[in-house]
Amino acid sequence: MQKYVIHPSSSLSFNVLYIVLELLFIDSAFSFLIPRKHLRRSVCRHSTATTESLERTYGGIVYRTSVFNKEEYAIIAEDVARVGTLVAESPTSMAKRRRGAILPSNSRTVQLFRHGSLQQFVQQMTSSDYELSEEVPIEIRSYDQAGACMAWHSDDILYQDPPQVEIIWTLENTSDCQTMWKTTTGQVKSVETEKNSVIALRAGGPEHCVTSLKRGKRIILKCVYASKKATFVSQTQDAAQFQAVKTKKKKKR
Ligand SMILES: *[C@@H]1O[C@H](CO)[C@@H](O)[C@H](O)[C@H]1NC(C)=O
């Protein structure tokens, strides 16, 4: 896990060390150097491990860069732009001054999330048959107003046995806010989430937060992957809130 974490105050030499470590572990951070064919094969490989590396290796939270290729990224950016107006989240939300919307279920992005390299990554992390949730939609969340932030919390368990994996994929980030989490030993870590990166974390697992934005903008897509074996137990407050808006406009299905 260490190797993915750069503290904001990190010096140049630390960054160099980070790059060396990344090269040693050649992973998706350098996927642009690896021909697509080979990348697919390595991402796809089936693990025989019975323990989930998300917990075992990463303590329940992992950060990866270069998730989608250029064409896929462009498709997602277009879908997000098409959604247009984002709605302020209710004040009961863990987040403050954040805006959001639900991505229509027929958008190409949903297909990319359901069958692309992100799903393969989640399956690799969990050594299991995780699939994009049918119940929880993909949400767009935008931190673009001063003071936008999200308090420390652990994600609500929406699926049981096992709990779902929550995904935060960054569309763009020119902001100065930080993503932070606590390790199982209580250490606070942070990461500078870059465009086309992903954070995967276990619901009910590591506590995390986003510090208050002063300048810039950060747009993410949030979604949920669940095991075929898991039982859906409840809807998120945030999703329910956006869905209420959607239902009102459409006058019930
Ligand atoms: C967004 O990017 C900036 C600049 O690279 C970085 O300092 C910051 O930590 C990132 N924000 C988040 C929430 O990851």
Side-chain angles (χ1 to χ4, degrees):
M1 192 59 230
Q2 289 279 49
K3 70 188 160 90
Y4 299 111
V5 180
I6 319 178
H7 196 265
S9 64
S10 62
S11 62
L12 181 64
S13 63
F14 195 87
N15 278 329
V16 169
L17 174 68
Y18 167 77
I19 287 163
V20 169
L21 283 172
E22 282 287 7
L23 280 170
L24 280 175
F25 285 91
I26 304 201
D27 65 13
S28 57
F30 285 84
S31 56
F32 60 90
L33 294 174
I34 308 168
R36 193 99 203 123
K37 229 169 67 188
H38 301 294
L39 183 69
R40 283 276 175 220
R41 200 176 304 141
S42 75
V43 169
C44 261
R45 80 169 181 265
H46 284 281
S47 169
T48 51
T50 48
T51 32
E52 305 193 350
S53 65
L54 183 56
E55 270 73 28
R56 191 168 36 85
T57 314
Y58 302 103
I61 184 163
V62 62
Y63 174 67
R64 284 294 164 94
T65 55
S66 309
V67 175
F68 292 107
N69 68 30
K70 255 196 194 144
E71 294 75 34
E72 292 168 336
Y73 180 92
I75 288 170
I76 301 170
E78 211 180 295
D79 279 349
V80 170
R82 196 170 293 145
V83 168
T85 329
L86 303 178
V87 187
E89 286 179 42
S90 78
T92 56
S93 166
M94 204 60 71
K96 300 252 176 305
R97 314 206 71 185
R98 200 171 66 173
R99 299 184 305 144
I102 284 177
L103 207 64
S105 57
N106 60 359
S107 65
R108 289 169 303 168
T109 297
V110 173
Q111 291 312 310
L112 282 175
F113 274 52
R114 184 157 285 145
H115 304 295
S117 51
L118 185 55
Q119 189 218 18
Q120 287 165 12
F121 163 69
V122 174
Q123 295 197 343
Q124 205 186 334
M125 281 299 116
T126 55
S127 319
S128 188
D129 61 353
Y130 281 60
E131 291 185 329
L132 184 67
S133 167
E134 299 278 354
E135 286 85 7
V136 185
I138 300 179
E139 288 173 37
I140 306 167
R141 290 172 173 182
S142 179
Y143 294 77
D144 52 22
Q145 308 174 61
C149 66
M150 189 170 59
W152 281 105
H153 71 287
S154 170
D155 287 337
D156 291 343
I157 291 177
L158 310 177
Y159 288 85
Q160 261 168 2
D161 305 316
Q164 78 275 10
V165 170
E166 297 267 340
I167 288 291
I168 299 103
W169 179 80
T170 301
L171 175 69
E172 62 173 270
N173 172 31
T174 55
S175 77
D176 59 350
C177 54
Q178 296 274 324
T179 303
M180 293 179 163
W181 67 86
K182 287 179 192 158
T183 66
T184 42
T185 56
Q187 245 186 312
V188 175
K189 303 255 183 192
S190 71
V191 70
E192 303 195 344
T193 55
E194 66 179 58
K195 179 174 159 172
N196 198 18
S197 70
V198 71
I199 295 178
L201 77 162
R202 180 72 67 186
E207 272 189 75
H208 52 283
C209 76
V210 176
T211 62
S212 183
L213 178 141
K214 287 187 203 72
R215 51 194 111 57
K217 185 174 179 176
R218 176 173 180 254
I219 301 176
I220 59 163
L221 293 184
K222 199 229 84 159
C223 67
V224 163
Y225 286 81
S227 163
K228 280 185 192 164
K229 292 189 283 278
T231 318
F232 182 63
V233 286
S234 79
Q235 185 67 273
T236 53
Q237 233 174 20
D238 288 353
Q241 161 204 332
F242 292 135
Q243 255 164 10
V245 171
K246 205 171 93 181
T247 316
K248 231 181 264 167
K249 273 189 198 150
K250 286 195 173 171
K251 286 200 179 158
K252 274 208 154 170
R253 280 180 284 182

